[in-house]
Amino acid sequence: MRPEDSSDLAPATAAAGAVEPDAVERAPAAAVPARTRKPLRRRPLGASLLLLVALGLVGAVYSLFAPANADVDAPGSAQAGRELFLANCSSCHGTQGQGSSAGPTLVGVGAASVEFQVGTGRMPLAQPGAQAPRDYVRFSDEEIADMAAYVATLGPGPSIPSDEDLDLSEADVTRGGDIFRTNCTMCHNYAGSGGALTEGKYAPSVNQTSPRHIYEAMLTGPQNMPVFADSQLTPEMKRDVIAYIKTSSEHPSPGITGLGALGPSAEGLFGWVVALGLLLACAVWLTQKAK
Amino acid sequence: MSMLGDAAGGAGRYLDDRLGLAKVVRKNIRKVFPDHWSFMLGEITLYSFIILLLSGTFLTLFFDPSMTETVYNGAYGPLRGEEMSRAYASALEISFEVRGGLIMRHIHHWAALIFIAGMVVHAFRTFFTGAFRKPREINWLLGVALLVLGLLEGFMGYSLPDDLLSGTGLRIAEGVILSIPLVGSYILMFFFGGEFPGVDLIPRMYMVHILLVPGLILALIAAHVGLVTYHKHTQYPGAGRTEKNVVGYPLLPVYAAKAGGFFFVVFGVICGIAALVPINPIWQYGPYDPSEVTAGSQPDWYIGFLEGSLRLMPNWEIEFWGNTLSLNVLIPSLVVPGIMFTIFALYPFIEAWVTGDKREHHILDRPRNQPVRTGLGVMFITSYTILWIAGGNDIIAITFGLSINAITWFMRIAFFVLPPLAFWVTKRACLGLQHRDKDKVLHGRETGILMQLPHGEFIEVHEPITPEERWRLTSQEIQRPAALPASADGNGVAPRGALAGKLRSKVSRWYFEDRVEPATPADVHELESSGGHH
């Protein structure tokens, strides 16, 4: 069953929520509200002023049009979150979350980003590298909620998805598959088992990720992943994608699993080493002189 | 017993009277085949091909090579309701609904990978042992043709299910065809019957995949094996083996039993793997849609070297008169493999020209006794392997946590540096092994036992080798560089072909300058009379 609601998509995202396929290199394109992370380059004063005014305007327009995401009332306690933040995160992200040379600003990243980053163990970052890897989770759910609430007070950003957002009972798995293949497989592989990006970066496997974190990954676009804002992938479509990932990764794979998810390279290696190796061993055995 | 014998005799006479088989059969069942594991490589290939024919026939019963759009309504949940071609839908049906269909697909695919891998290993056995020399050059060419057909056949099989991976492969093939200057777009129209992907390609490829190419392969295999029987099999050097005889087992009963048994071994191994290890999970790829791509898109292993050379090539294009010459595709996917396959096919003729050798050879070379040829072979394998590995640079990057850019640059440099290095190392290693052989002949085998002589000196005890082994180690012929042709006649006029002669003698020097000549009886004699000391 295909819902007929695809008409409310932006023109560029016509078929099944397609995002510009050239999103592979660096993500949030025009469709995503400006989130300035890099310091502005030194420019003649007039130009910078103009830029500031323009940015202010964009910000103002953004906060007008993004009311759903901008609410600050994350479930945790912002006060307790601040304490945790100062103790664990401020060394890199600054005491006001304004960022430092060791970490980006968290102003406007939203509660969803914190829950994703800390909830998948990426933060606090253990050591600098090509990208923050998934790691063991170092905080309780409550502590994460507190920090998320605190970061949400720094500036409007995507909030934590509600339980309705994550209710998969109505989801359309087939459409989710379409959306997944159009938007995600180019980085995450057809089986969701991950793929390499440039310069040692990679898109990790999504098969073990909880629905909540998949949702938040799409909302916040961590690191090299593009942001899939609700204007590009509606909450309904996000649920379809999650349902597809869950169904297909739980589909029993015949025989020894794992090999199929890496594609023909792994099959070829297996063919040469194991299959041909076995056959050669048999040939040697057959032609041995009888003793 | 005697009744059975009578019946068999009667049947035999009946057939002989009508087909004249007795002579042919009598001659052939006494044919002798030498026994060595490396002579079974061709058999692995032949048997995988038979398995391909059997499993392929099964698949044709259920596969529908049609691009007609349909809505999937089969057993695999995550795709139900999806629009797809009949081809893909029927491939899914084979995987999920046809009894035994999935394992047949696995058998067919694994057998294909092994078929080509076996062919490659068999070719290199032939190469390194010099089995391509006169009178077997034509058979070498037949082998190369089989290899090329095998690659083509495999690629088409990979493309038929019309899943996302197939389509991506065809997309690349389209780019390669388009990169051919001038005629590219015409050739493309001819094959695809219109714009990519079109509706004609899959049915056309299907016909070629199940009829034309297998037919050709079968005919070539018949010719290939026929020539092997006609030339008689080569054999490794050893006592009692000459250029005029073949030492081994007769076809009946020993060899036939072994070969027949080996067929079932190959069948068993392939089925075992097919049952345990899934291959090409088409349902995960989803139907082909030109707007989709997936990470981890890779060809089957035998096309991997082309993929790798594409990935290594810098992005060069030449613009002229509004046309684009896509060197970035043309060079890696047509020029490089073209050169590689041409050299590979012509090598027997090149070497024959260098050595000027017109005699027949039925005794194989031990690879170490041909340092330059062996070095060239390893050099070729090295270049090929680098391209092949580069084709999986993304998988390597993600598996080992490396940077894909660093891997690509490493491979680019390696492609030019490693092959010559491999040549040099191999040649040195061969010469070293030859020295060791010579030592063994002259001083016997090292036993590792030290002995103290009465006056205090320590010596290692050497054990003399058997005469058979001595023969094996010394029977190779000595090859020396060809002499420079007489440069000019009395009037200072260079004879015809002098330039070619000069070139030949140069190449020949390069081939045979460094050599270890095997121990001669005189050496042995001298050593014995000097009391075995050195």
Side-chain angles (χ1 to χ4, degrees), chain A residues 174 178 181 185 190 199-200 254-256 259 264-265 267 272 280 286, chain B residues 41 80 82 258 276-278 280 285 293-295 298-299 403 405:
Chain A
T174 303
D178 263 345
R181 280 188 294 276
T185 51
Y190 58 90
E199 310 288 357
I256 299 169
L259 195 68
S265 308
E267 295 161 358
W272 269 88
L280 287 184
L286 259 179
Chain B
L41 297 170
R80 220 171 283 143
E82 181 76 51
K258 278 197 175 188
L276 292 174
V277 191
N280 197 17
Y285 293 104
V293 276
T294 167
Q298 224 105 48
S403 155
N405 309 58

PDB file of all heavy atoms in Angstrom, chain A residues 174 178 181 185 190 199-200 254-256 259 264-265 267 272 280 286, chain B residues 41 80 82 258 276-278 280 285 293-295 298-299 403 405:
ATOM      1  N   THR A 174       7.574  -1.776   2.687  1.00  0.00           N
ATOM      2  CA  THR A 174       8.007  -1.726   1.292  1.00  0.00           C
ATOM      3  C   THR A 174       8.405  -0.315   0.893  1.00  0.00           C
ATOM      4  O   THR A 174       9.436  -0.102   0.263  1.00  0.00           O
ATOM      5  CB  THR A 174       6.883  -2.236   0.379  1.00  0.00           C
ATOM      6  OG1 THR A 174       6.544  -3.556   0.805  1.00  0.00           O
ATOM      7  CG2 THR A 174       7.322  -2.262  -1.056  1.00  0.00           C
ATOM      8  N   ASP A 178      12.091   1.373  -0.303  1.00  0.00           N
ATOM      9  CA  ASP A 178      12.332   2.314  -1.399  1.00  0.00           C
ATOM     10  C   ASP A 178      13.112   3.519  -0.918  1.00  0.00           C
ATOM     11  O   ASP A 178      14.086   3.939  -1.538  1.00  0.00           O
ATOM     12  CB  ASP A 178      10.981   2.802  -1.948  1.00  0.00           C
ATOM     13  CG  ASP A 178      10.569   2.009  -3.164  1.00  0.00           C
ATOM     14  OD1 ASP A 178      11.449   1.313  -3.713  1.00  0.00           O
ATOM     15  OD2 ASP A 178       9.389   2.083  -3.554  1.00  0.00           O
ATOM     16  N   ARG A 181      16.703   2.632  -0.037  1.00  0.00           N
ATOM     17  CA  ARG A 181      17.590   2.434  -1.188  1.00  0.00           C
ATOM     18  C   ARG A 181      17.892   3.741  -1.893  1.00  0.00           C
ATOM     19  O   ARG A 181      18.958   3.922  -2.457  1.00  0.00           O
ATOM     20  CB  ARG A 181      16.974   1.439  -2.169  1.00  0.00           C
ATOM     21  CG  ARG A 181      17.159  -0.011  -1.745  1.00  0.00           C
ATOM     22  CD  ARG A 181      16.718  -0.967  -2.825  1.00  0.00           C
ATOM     23  NE  ARG A 181      15.290  -0.895  -3.075  1.00  0.00           N
ATOM     24  CZ  ARG A 181      14.380  -1.551  -2.372  1.00  0.00           C
ATOM     25  NH1 ARG A 181      14.751  -2.331  -1.383  1.00  0.00           N
ATOM     26  NH2 ARG A 181      13.099  -1.430  -2.644  1.00  0.00           N
ATOM     27  N   THR A 185      21.370   3.664   1.141  1.00  0.00           N
ATOM     28  CA  THR A 185      22.285   2.576   0.776  1.00  0.00           C
ATOM     29  C   THR A 185      23.588   3.085   0.188  1.00  0.00           C
ATOM     30  O   THR A 185      24.602   2.406   0.281  1.00  0.00           O
ATOM     31  CB  THR A 185      21.639   1.625  -0.252  1.00  0.00           C
ATOM     32  OG1 THR A 185      21.135   2.403  -1.311  1.00  0.00           O
ATOM     33  CG2 THR A 185      20.555   0.801   0.367  1.00  0.00           C
ATOM     34  N   TYR A 190      23.565  -1.872   0.928  1.00  0.00           N
ATOM     35  CA  TYR A 190      22.226  -2.416   0.681  1.00  0.00           C
ATOM     36  C   TYR A 190      21.690  -3.211   1.856  1.00  0.00           C
ATOM     37  O   TYR A 190      20.505  -3.297   2.078  1.00  0.00           O
ATOM     38  CB  TYR A 190      22.237  -3.310  -0.560  1.00  0.00           C
ATOM     39  CG  TYR A 190      23.215  -4.446  -0.463  1.00  0.00           C
ATOM     40  CD1 TYR A 190      22.834  -5.663   0.061  1.00  0.00           C
ATOM     41  CD2 TYR A 190      24.542  -4.271  -0.855  1.00  0.00           C
ATOM     42  CE1 TYR A 190      23.748  -6.693   0.178  1.00  0.00           C
ATOM     43  CE2 TYR A 190      25.459  -5.293  -0.741  1.00  0.00           C
ATOM     44  CZ  TYR A 190      25.052  -6.503  -0.217  1.00  0.00           C
ATOM     45  OH  TYR A 190      25.960  -7.513  -0.085  1.00  0.00           O
ATOM     46  N   GLU A 199      38.641   9.518   3.176  1.00  0.00           N
ATOM     47  CA  GLU A 199      39.563   9.893   4.249  1.00  0.00           C
ATOM     48  C   GLU A 199      39.357   9.124   5.552  1.00  0.00           C
ATOM     49  O   GLU A 199      39.450   9.682   6.637  1.00  0.00           O
ATOM     50  CB  GLU A 199      39.440  11.401   4.582  1.00  0.00           C
ATOM     51  CG  GLU A 199      39.515  12.338   3.379  1.00  0.00           C
ATOM     52  CD  GLU A 199      40.907  12.432   2.800  1.00  0.00           C
ATOM     53  OE1 GLU A 199      41.831  11.801   3.364  1.00  0.00           O
ATOM     54  OE2 GLU A 199      41.070  13.114   1.776  1.00  0.00           O
ATOM     55  N   GLY A 200      39.085   7.855   5.467  1.00  0.00           N
ATOM     56  CA  GLY A 200      38.973   7.044   6.676  1.00  0.00           C
ATOM     57  C   GLY A 200      37.647   7.188   7.395  1.00  0.00           C
ATOM     58  O   GLY A 200      37.432   6.588   8.440  1.00  0.00           O
ATOM     59  N   PRO A 254      19.923 -17.402   4.932  1.00  0.00           N
ATOM     60  CA  PRO A 254      20.195 -18.834   4.860  1.00  0.00           C
ATOM     61  C   PRO A 254      21.681 -19.119   5.087  1.00  0.00           C
ATOM     62  O   PRO A 254      22.529 -18.323   4.704  1.00  0.00           O
ATOM     63  CB  PRO A 254      19.786 -19.201   3.436  1.00  0.00           C
ATOM     64  CG  PRO A 254      19.901 -17.937   2.667  1.00  0.00           C
ATOM     65  CD  PRO A 254      19.624 -16.826   3.625  1.00  0.00           C
ATOM     66  N   GLY A 255      21.960 -20.237   5.689  1.00  0.00           N
ATOM     67  CA  GLY A 255      23.350 -20.658   5.841  1.00  0.00           C
ATOM     68  C   GLY A 255      24.134 -19.791   6.800  1.00  0.00           C
ATOM     69  O   GLY A 255      23.577 -19.117   7.664  1.00  0.00           O
ATOM     70  N   ILE A 256      25.454 -19.823   6.630  1.00  0.00           N
ATOM     71  CA  ILE A 256      26.331 -19.033   7.479  1.00  0.00           C
ATOM     72  C   ILE A 256      26.087 -17.567   7.169  1.00  0.00           C
ATOM     73  O   ILE A 256      26.217 -17.137   6.031  1.00  0.00           O
ATOM     74  CB  ILE A 256      27.797 -19.383   7.214  1.00  0.00           C
ATOM     75  CG1 ILE A 256      28.038 -20.844   7.540  1.00  0.00           C
ATOM     76  CG2 ILE A 256      28.722 -18.484   8.014  1.00  0.00           C
ATOM     77  CD1 ILE A 256      29.375 -21.346   7.076  1.00  0.00           C
ATOM     78  N   LEU A 259      28.348 -13.234   5.443  1.00  0.00           N
ATOM     79  CA  LEU A 259      29.111 -13.124   4.201  1.00  0.00           C
ATOM     80  C   LEU A 259      28.338 -12.306   3.168  1.00  0.00           C
ATOM     81  O   LEU A 259      28.899 -11.442   2.509  1.00  0.00           O
ATOM     82  CB  LEU A 259      29.389 -14.520   3.666  1.00  0.00           C
ATOM     83  CG  LEU A 259      30.469 -14.576   2.602  1.00  0.00           C
ATOM     84  CD1 LEU A 259      31.814 -14.246   3.204  1.00  0.00           C
ATOM     85  CD2 LEU A 259      30.504 -15.943   1.967  1.00  0.00           C
ATOM     86  N   PRO A 264      30.041  -8.957  -3.147  1.00  0.00           N
ATOM     87  CA  PRO A 264      30.814  -9.939  -3.907  1.00  0.00           C
ATOM     88  C   PRO A 264      32.290 -10.044  -3.527  1.00  0.00           C
ATOM     89  O   PRO A 264      32.890 -11.079  -3.798  1.00  0.00           O
ATOM     90  CB  PRO A 264      30.660  -9.449  -5.349  1.00  0.00           C
ATOM     91  CG  PRO A 264      29.387  -8.689  -5.352  1.00  0.00           C
ATOM     92  CD  PRO A 264      29.305  -8.045  -4.021  1.00  0.00           C
ATOM     93  N   SER A 265      32.885  -9.019  -2.931  1.00  0.00           N
ATOM     94  CA  SER A 265      34.310  -9.145  -2.593  1.00  0.00           C
ATOM     95  C   SER A 265      34.532 -10.270  -1.608  1.00  0.00           C
ATOM     96  O   SER A 265      35.446 -11.081  -1.762  1.00  0.00           O
ATOM     97  CB  SER A 265      34.845  -7.879  -1.948  1.00  0.00           C
ATOM     98  OG  SER A 265      34.545  -6.789  -2.710  1.00  0.00           O
ATOM     99  N   GLU A 267      32.587 -12.748  -1.100  1.00  0.00           N
ATOM    100  CA  GLU A 267      32.279 -14.026  -1.748  1.00  0.00           C
ATOM    101  C   GLU A 267      33.471 -14.506  -2.562  1.00  0.00           C
ATOM    102  O   GLU A 267      33.831 -15.688  -2.539  1.00  0.00           O
ATOM    103  CB  GLU A 267      31.047 -13.870  -2.643  1.00  0.00           C
ATOM    104  CG  GLU A 267      29.780 -13.550  -1.872  1.00  0.00           C
ATOM    105  CD  GLU A 267      28.679 -12.943  -2.738  1.00  0.00           C
ATOM    106  OE1 GLU A 267      28.893 -12.732  -3.955  1.00  0.00           O
ATOM    107  OE2 GLU A 267      27.608 -12.663  -2.194  1.00  0.00           O
ATOM    108  N   TRP A 272      38.021 -18.226  -3.464  1.00  0.00           N
ATOM    109  CA  TRP A 272      39.425 -18.536  -3.724  1.00  0.00           C
ATOM    110  C   TRP A 272      40.048 -19.308  -2.573  1.00  0.00           C
ATOM    111  O   TRP A 272      40.710 -20.325  -2.787  1.00  0.00           O
ATOM    112  CB  TRP A 272      40.229 -17.252  -3.968  1.00  0.00           C
ATOM    113  CG  TRP A 272      40.268 -16.895  -5.394  1.00  0.00           C
ATOM    114  CD1 TRP A 272      39.353 -16.132  -6.065  1.00  0.00           C
ATOM    115  CD2 TRP A 272      41.232 -17.308  -6.371  1.00  0.00           C
ATOM    116  NE1 TRP A 272      39.699 -16.048  -7.391  1.00  0.00           N
ATOM    117  CE2 TRP A 272      40.851 -16.747  -7.601  1.00  0.00           C
ATOM    118  CE3 TRP A 272      42.382 -18.086  -6.321  1.00  0.00           C
ATOM    119  CZ2 TRP A 272      41.571 -16.949  -8.773  1.00  0.00           C
ATOM    120  CZ3 TRP A 272      43.105 -18.280  -7.485  1.00  0.00           C
ATOM    121  CH2 TRP A 272      42.699 -17.723  -8.691  1.00  0.00           C
ATOM    122  N   LEU A 280      41.818 -28.081  -4.144  1.00  0.00           N
ATOM    123  CA  LEU A 280      43.238 -28.388  -4.352  1.00  0.00           C
ATOM    124  C   LEU A 280      43.683 -29.464  -3.366  1.00  0.00           C
ATOM    125  O   LEU A 280      44.426 -30.385  -3.730  1.00  0.00           O
ATOM    126  CB  LEU A 280      44.092 -27.133  -4.182  1.00  0.00           C
ATOM    127  CG  LEU A 280      43.982 -26.119  -5.317  1.00  0.00           C
ATOM    128  CD1 LEU A 280      44.944 -24.966  -5.107  1.00  0.00           C
ATOM    129  CD2 LEU A 280      44.272 -26.793  -6.650  1.00  0.00           C
ATOM    130  N   LEU A 286      44.180 -37.045  -3.896  1.00  0.00           N
ATOM    131  CA  LEU A 286      43.861 -38.081  -4.889  1.00  0.00           C
ATOM    132  C   LEU A 286      45.090 -38.546  -5.649  1.00  0.00           C
ATOM    133  O   LEU A 286      45.161 -39.686  -6.099  1.00  0.00           O
ATOM    134  CB  LEU A 286      42.856 -37.513  -5.895  1.00  0.00           C
ATOM    135  CG  LEU A 286      41.413 -37.909  -5.722  1.00  0.00           C
ATOM    136  CD1 LEU A 286      40.574 -37.234  -6.782  1.00  0.00           C
ATOM    137  CD2 LEU A 286      41.259 -39.412  -5.821  1.00  0.00           C
TER     138      LEU A 286
ATOM    139  N   LEU B  41      43.915 -29.418 -12.167  1.00  0.00           N
ATOM    140  CA  LEU B  41      43.312 -28.078 -12.130  1.00  0.00           C
ATOM    141  C   LEU B  41      42.326 -27.889 -13.279  1.00  0.00           C
ATOM    142  O   LEU B  41      41.243 -27.336 -13.104  1.00  0.00           O
ATOM    143  CB  LEU B  41      44.410 -27.021 -12.201  1.00  0.00           C
ATOM    144  CG  LEU B  41      45.367 -27.063 -11.015  1.00  0.00           C
ATOM    145  CD1 LEU B  41      46.561 -26.164 -11.258  1.00  0.00           C
ATOM    146  CD2 LEU B  41      44.630 -26.637  -9.771  1.00  0.00           C
ATOM    147  N   ARG B  80       7.108  -6.788  -0.711  1.00  0.00           N
ATOM    148  CA  ARG B  80       5.747  -6.992  -1.197  1.00  0.00           C
ATOM    149  C   ARG B  80       5.113  -5.647  -1.539  1.00  0.00           C
ATOM    150  O   ARG B  80       5.210  -4.698  -0.776  1.00  0.00           O
ATOM    151  CB  ARG B  80       4.910  -7.721  -0.145  1.00  0.00           C
ATOM    152  CG  ARG B  80       4.002  -8.757  -0.764  1.00  0.00           C
ATOM    153  CD  ARG B  80       3.325  -9.623   0.265  1.00  0.00           C
ATOM    154  NE  ARG B  80       4.232 -10.633   0.805  1.00  0.00           N
ATOM    155  CZ  ARG B  80       4.212 -11.021   2.079  1.00  0.00           C
ATOM    156  NH1 ARG B  80       3.373 -10.472   2.940  1.00  0.00           N
ATOM    157  NH2 ARG B  80       5.033 -11.957   2.486  1.00  0.00           N
ATOM    158  N   GLU B  82       6.100  -3.943  -4.139  1.00  0.00           N
ATOM    159  CA  GLU B  82       7.102  -3.169  -4.876  1.00  0.00           C
ATOM    160  C   GLU B  82       6.939  -3.439  -6.373  1.00  0.00           C
ATOM    161  O   GLU B  82       6.669  -4.566  -6.786  1.00  0.00           O
ATOM    162  CB  GLU B  82       8.487  -3.648  -4.413  1.00  0.00           C
ATOM    163  CG  GLU B  82       9.653  -2.953  -5.030  1.00  0.00           C
ATOM    164  CD  GLU B  82       9.862  -1.574  -4.439  1.00  0.00           C
ATOM    165  OE1 GLU B  82       9.918  -1.455  -3.207  1.00  0.00           O
ATOM    166  OE2 GLU B  82       9.981  -0.632  -5.230  1.00  0.00           O
ATOM    167  N   LYS B 258      39.875 -42.349 -11.120  1.00  0.00           N
ATOM    168  CA  LYS B 258      40.294 -41.156 -10.373  1.00  0.00           C
ATOM    169  C   LYS B 258      39.560 -39.916 -10.855  1.00  0.00           C
ATOM    170  O   LYS B 258      39.048 -39.127 -10.067  1.00  0.00           O
ATOM    171  CB  LYS B 258      41.796 -40.935 -10.556  1.00  0.00           C
ATOM    172  CG  LYS B 258      42.629 -41.784  -9.632  1.00  0.00           C
ATOM    173  CD  LYS B 258      44.042 -41.239  -9.544  1.00  0.00           C
ATOM    174  CE  LYS B 258      44.799 -42.042  -8.509  1.00  0.00           C
ATOM    175  NZ  LYS B 258      46.103 -41.515  -8.203  1.00  0.00           N
ATOM    176  N   LEU B 276      25.863 -24.213   2.677  1.00  0.00           N
ATOM    177  CA  LEU B 276      26.230 -23.539   3.919  1.00  0.00           C
ATOM    178  C   LEU B 276      26.422 -22.040   3.767  1.00  0.00           C
ATOM    179  O   LEU B 276      26.172 -21.279   4.693  1.00  0.00           O
ATOM    180  CB  LEU B 276      27.533 -24.139   4.459  1.00  0.00           C
ATOM    181  CG  LEU B 276      27.440 -25.574   4.955  1.00  0.00           C
ATOM    182  CD1 LEU B 276      28.807 -26.094   5.315  1.00  0.00           C
ATOM    183  CD2 LEU B 276      26.522 -25.627   6.157  1.00  0.00           C
ATOM    184  N   VAL B 277      26.919 -21.624   2.620  1.00  0.00           N
ATOM    185  CA  VAL B 277      27.341 -20.229   2.493  1.00  0.00           C
ATOM    186  C   VAL B 277      26.497 -19.521   1.448  1.00  0.00           C
ATOM    187  O   VAL B 277      26.568 -19.840   0.268  1.00  0.00           O
ATOM    188  CB  VAL B 277      28.825 -20.149   2.092  1.00  0.00           C
ATOM    189  CG1 VAL B 277      29.317 -18.724   2.233  1.00  0.00           C
ATOM    190  CG2 VAL B 277      29.646 -21.075   2.951  1.00  0.00           C
ATOM    191  N   PRO B 278      25.688 -18.545   1.867  1.00  0.00           N
ATOM    192  CA  PRO B 278      24.840 -17.838   0.911  1.00  0.00           C
ATOM    193  C   PRO B 278      25.697 -16.980  -0.019  1.00  0.00           C
ATOM    194  O   PRO B 278      26.780 -16.547   0.345  1.00  0.00           O
ATOM    195  CB  PRO B 278      23.968 -16.960   1.798  1.00  0.00           C
ATOM    196  CG  PRO B 278      24.732 -16.793   3.060  1.00  0.00           C
ATOM    197  CD  PRO B 278      25.559 -18.027   3.220  1.00  0.00           C
ATOM    198  N   ASN B 280      25.211 -13.812  -3.088  1.00  0.00           N
ATOM    199  CA  ASN B 280      24.353 -12.879  -3.816  1.00  0.00           C
ATOM    200  C   ASN B 280      22.904 -12.875  -3.329  1.00  0.00           C
ATOM    201  O   ASN B 280      22.009 -13.351  -4.015  1.00  0.00           O
ATOM    202  CB  ASN B 280      24.393 -13.207  -5.313  1.00  0.00           C
ATOM    203  CG  ASN B 280      23.882 -12.052  -6.138  1.00  0.00           C
ATOM    204  OD1 ASN B 280      23.787 -10.925  -5.654  1.00  0.00           O
ATOM    205  ND2 ASN B 280      23.544 -12.316  -7.381  1.00  0.00           N
ATOM    206  N   TYR B 285      19.245  -6.499  -2.236  1.00  0.00           N
ATOM    207  CA  TYR B 285      19.605  -5.388  -3.115  1.00  0.00           C
ATOM    208  C   TYR B 285      18.389  -4.600  -3.567  1.00  0.00           C
ATOM    209  O   TYR B 285      18.492  -3.419  -3.867  1.00  0.00           O
ATOM    210  CB  TYR B 285      20.353  -5.896  -4.342  1.00  0.00           C
ATOM    211  CG  TYR B 285      21.713  -6.470  -4.024  1.00  0.00           C
ATOM    212  CD1 TYR B 285      21.938  -7.834  -4.002  1.00  0.00           C
ATOM    213  CD2 TYR B 285      22.781  -5.625  -3.738  1.00  0.00           C
ATOM    214  CE1 TYR B 285      23.183  -8.351  -3.710  1.00  0.00           C
ATOM    215  CE2 TYR B 285      24.026  -6.142  -3.436  1.00  0.00           C
ATOM    216  CZ  TYR B 285      24.226  -7.510  -3.425  1.00  0.00           C
ATOM    217  OH  TYR B 285      25.444  -8.017  -3.131  1.00  0.00           O
ATOM    218  N   VAL B 293      21.995   3.838  -5.793  1.00  0.00           N
ATOM    219  CA  VAL B 293      23.277   3.138  -5.753  1.00  0.00           C
ATOM    220  C   VAL B 293      23.430   2.599  -4.342  1.00  0.00           C
ATOM    221  O   VAL B 293      22.755   3.035  -3.422  1.00  0.00           O
ATOM    222  CB  VAL B 293      24.484   4.049  -6.033  1.00  0.00           C
ATOM    223  CG1 VAL B 293      24.728   4.210  -7.490  1.00  0.00           C
ATOM    224  CG2 VAL B 293      24.364   5.355  -5.310  1.00  0.00           C
ATOM    225  N   THR B 294      24.343   1.666  -4.174  1.00  0.00           N
ATOM    226  CA  THR B 294      24.583   1.171  -2.840  1.00  0.00           C
ATOM    227  C   THR B 294      26.070   1.067  -2.570  1.00  0.00           C
ATOM    228  O   THR B 294      26.850   0.773  -3.476  1.00  0.00           O
ATOM    229  CB  THR B 294      23.908  -0.190  -2.600  1.00  0.00           C
ATOM    230  OG1 THR B 294      24.431  -0.748  -1.397  1.00  0.00           O
ATOM    231  CG2 THR B 294      24.165  -1.148  -3.742  1.00  0.00           C
ATOM    232  N   ALA B 295      26.441   1.353  -1.333  1.00  0.00           N
ATOM    233  CA  ALA B 295      27.819   1.106  -0.926  1.00  0.00           C
ATOM    234  C   ALA B 295      28.057  -0.395  -1.024  1.00  0.00           C
ATOM    235  O   ALA B 295      27.138  -1.189  -0.885  1.00  0.00           O
ATOM    236  CB  ALA B 295      28.034   1.576   0.502  1.00  0.00           C
ATOM    237  N   GLN B 298      29.919  -4.229  -5.988  1.00  0.00           N
ATOM    238  CA  GLN B 298      31.163  -4.817  -6.447  1.00  0.00           C
ATOM    239  C   GLN B 298      30.826  -5.863  -7.489  1.00  0.00           C
ATOM    240  O   GLN B 298      29.791  -6.504  -7.408  1.00  0.00           O
ATOM    241  CB  GLN B 298      31.827  -5.509  -5.272  1.00  0.00           C
ATOM    242  CG  GLN B 298      33.291  -5.263  -5.166  1.00  0.00           C
ATOM    243  CD  GLN B 298      33.600  -4.303  -4.066  1.00  0.00           C
ATOM    244  OE1 GLN B 298      33.102  -4.459  -3.002  1.00  0.00           O
ATOM    245  NE2 GLN B 298      34.386  -3.304  -4.334  1.00  0.00           N
ATOM    246  N   PRO B 299      31.695  -6.038  -8.466  1.00  0.00           N
ATOM    247  CA  PRO B 299      31.449  -7.133  -9.396  1.00  0.00           C
ATOM    248  C   PRO B 299      31.891  -8.451  -8.761  1.00  0.00           C
ATOM    249  O   PRO B 299      32.531  -8.445  -7.709  1.00  0.00           O
ATOM    250  CB  PRO B 299      32.350  -6.786 -10.578  1.00  0.00           C
ATOM    251  CG  PRO B 299      33.455  -5.997  -9.993  1.00  0.00           C
ATOM    252  CD  PRO B 299      32.904  -5.280  -8.803  1.00  0.00           C
ATOM    253  N   SER B 403      41.893   4.685   5.464  1.00  0.00           N
ATOM    254  CA  SER B 403      41.347   5.735   4.622  1.00  0.00           C
ATOM    255  C   SER B 403      41.342   5.264   3.183  1.00  0.00           C
ATOM    256  O   SER B 403      42.351   4.806   2.653  1.00  0.00           O
ATOM    257  CB  SER B 403      42.191   6.999   4.749  1.00  0.00           C
ATOM    258  OG  SER B 403      42.059   7.772   3.581  1.00  0.00           O
ATOM    259  N   ASN B 405      41.224   6.983   0.532  1.00  0.00           N
ATOM    260  CA  ASN B 405      42.125   7.776  -0.308  1.00  0.00           C
ATOM    261  C   ASN B 405      43.551   7.275  -0.199  1.00  0.00           C
ATOM    262  O   ASN B 405      44.269   7.172  -1.187  1.00  0.00           O
ATOM    263  CB  ASN B 405      42.089   9.248   0.105  1.00  0.00           C
ATOM    264  CG  ASN B 405      40.685   9.769   0.186  1.00  0.00           C
ATOM    265  OD1 ASN B 405      39.863   9.231   0.931  1.00  0.00           O
ATOM    266  ND2 ASN B 405      40.387  10.805  -0.556  1.00  0.00           N
TER     267      ASN B 405
END
